[in-house]
Amino acid sequence: MLHVRNDWKKTVSAALLAGLLLPASLAGAAASPETSAAPSIAGNAAGGPESSAVQPDALKPEAGQAAPAAAVKKKKVLVIGLDGTRPDALQAANAVNLDALAANGAYSWTTKANSNYTWSATGWSTIHTGVWYQKHGVKDNTWAGSKFGQYPSLMKRAEMYNPALSTASIVHWGPINDKLVEGIDLEKTVATDAEVVSDTVNLLKTGNPDFLFLHFDDIDHAGHTYGFSPKVSQYTKAIEGVDAQIGTILDAVKARSTYAQEDWLILVSTDHGGKGTSHGGSSSEETTIFLIASGESTVKGQLTGATYQADVLVTALKHLGVPVSSSWNLDGRAVGLIQ
C-alpha cells in the first residue's frame, strides 16, 4: 500500500458529457434519517421501451433464432469528495461539469450531514462507513473515539467481499488515508488538488480501477479564508476551479480504451457546509450538503425524498454488486439507482 505525503439550471448542456452519461426519463429518491437504519428507496421509470426502436433487417434474428444478448458492462465507481462545499454556492457557481453530472443523473441540494460535529473527520467518516457519528465515534478532527474496527470504510468491505476489485483512494487531506481508509489496493496522499487530478488521470490511463475515491480540499481552504457563502466570489471561484479539474478527470474516464464496455457511476458529495469562515456546529448552513449520482445506471432528476451523507458509499456498493449485511448495522441506503 502506497502512502505519499431554485430551479435547476436548465441551460446546462447535457452534451458536455455526451458518451459518458446516457440520458433517461426516470425519477426516484432514497433516504435514511440519522436516527434510523432503515431508509427507503423509490424510483419510477417513464418513457417507451427499448423494444419499440426500429431494428434494421440485417440485424434482426432469423425465424426461430433468439436475439443476441446485450453484453454486460463492467460496473465501476468514481466517488468525488469536495471538502467544505455548500450546495447553494455550488448552484451559484459556474460549475459546468458538476452541472452536467447533475443534469444527467439524480441529485439533491438538501442532503443532510451529521446533525452536529460538522468537522471534516466526522463527515468523511460518515461517508466512508455509512453510519452516523454516534456509531463511528468521530466527533472532531482529533479522530479520538473512532470505532473503525466495528464500522470500517465500505471500500474495505468491498475489497473483503471481492479482492479482485481494484480500489484506490487519492486525497489532498492526508488523515482520510492515515486514519480512516485501510485494506484497499492503493492509498495516495498528495500536496495539492492539481496532484489529485494528475495522479487520477495517470491511474485511469495506466491502471484499471473499479472503486476510486478522490478528495479535493481547495474549496474548504477558500471558505476558511474568505467565507463559506454563495455571495463570496473567492469561494465560488474555488468551486469553479475544482469543477474544471473534475472535467479533466471525466475526459480521462471517457478516453479509456475499455470505456464502451464500462458502466461508470459518478458520485459527488461533501463532508460539511460552512457558516462565516468556519464549521463544526449544527446550523443549517453547516449540516445541509448535496449529493449527485450520475451515470447510465441512475434515475434522472431531482431526488424527491430525503437523502443523507451516510448514503454515499452504500450507493457505491449497490452499483458494484457488493451485498450489504444487516450485521453491519448501517444507517445509509443506496439512492438514485435504477432498480
Side-chain angles (χ1 to χ4, degrees), residues 26-317:
L26 298 168
S32 63
E34 185 169 342
T35 56
S36 170
S40 61
I41 304 172
N44 296 310
E50 292 182 358
S51 59
S52 63
V54 176
Q55 189 177 28
D57 289 341
L59 300 179
K60 292 180 181 178
E62 296 182 7
Q65 291 183 341
V72 177
K73 292 187 175 183
K74 175 70 173 177
K75 302 282 188 179
K76 292 179 177 288
V77 175
L78 169 61
V79 182
I80 302 173
L82 306 181
D83 206 297
T85 305
R86 278 178 48 164
D88 54 355
L90 174 55
Q91 291 175 277
N94 183 27
V96 294
N97 294 292
L98 290 165
D99 288 348
L101 283 171
N104 287 278
Y107 60 91
S108 168
W109 308 127
T110 57
T111 298
K112 299 306 293 183
N114 285 276
S115 61
N116 204 346
Y117 308 114
T118 48
W119 301 104
S120 289
T122 310
W124 295 123
S125 293
T126 291
I127 285 176
H128 269 274
T129 63
V131 301
W132 299 111
Y133 73 84
Q134 294 94 334
K135 293 180 181 177
H136 63 61
V138 179
K139 294 183 179 181
D140 57 42
N141 287 352
T142 69
W143 301 86
S146 63
K147 302 175 183 176
F148 299 141
Q150 184 177 358
Y151 298 104
S153 168
L154 296 179
M155 294 189 77
K156 180 179 181 179
R157 299 273 198 193
E159 268 285 356
M160 292 173 67
Y161 173 75
N162 182 5
L165 288 174
S166 176
T167 51
S169 174
I170 303 175
V171 304
H172 185 171
W173 193 51
I176 294 174
N177 283 343
D178 296 339
K179 303 290 187 179
L180 173 58
V181 175
E182 65 171 345
I184 66 172
D185 295 318
L186 172 67
E187 297 174 26
K188 192 163 190 181
T189 298
V190 297
T192 65
D193 281 3
E195 289 179 82
V196 172
V197 177
S198 60
D199 282 24
T200 301
V201 169
N202 183 61
L203 179 60
L204 289 165
K205 286 181 177 179
T206 63
N208 191 25
D210 298 303
F211 193 177
L212 177 57
F213 174 79
L214 309 179
H215 169 269
F216 291 85
D217 215 17
D218 285 353
I219 298 169
D220 187 64
H221 292 172
H224 283 296
T225 303
Y226 304 105
F228 294 86
S229 170
K231 297 179 181 179
V232 175
S233 62
Q234 295 94 331
Y235 184 58
T236 56
K237 288 295 184 184
I239 294 173
E240 291 167 5
V242 174
D243 177 78
Q245 294 173 320
I246 290 171
T248 299
I249 291 170
L250 296 177
D251 287 343
V253 171
K254 290 186 292 183
R256 287 172 53 80
S257 62
T258 52
Y259 176 71
Q261 292 80 49
E262 297 170 346
D263 177 5
W264 282 89
L265 171 66
I266 314 292
L267 295 167
V268 192
S269 194
T270 186
D271 51 343
H272 55 74
K275 186 175 183 179
T277 57
S278 189
H279 55 83
S282 59
S283 70
S284 62
E285 293 90 345
E286 294 163 289
T287 61
T288 302
I289 60 170
F290 70 94
L291 173 60
I292 298 171
S294 198
E296 63 184 83
S297 292
T298 64
V299 299
K300 303 297 181 277
Q302 187 164 2
L303 293 167
T304 57
T307 54
Y308 297 87
Q309 192 172 54
D311 298 337
V312 179
L313 256 64
V314 183
T315 304
L317 294 192

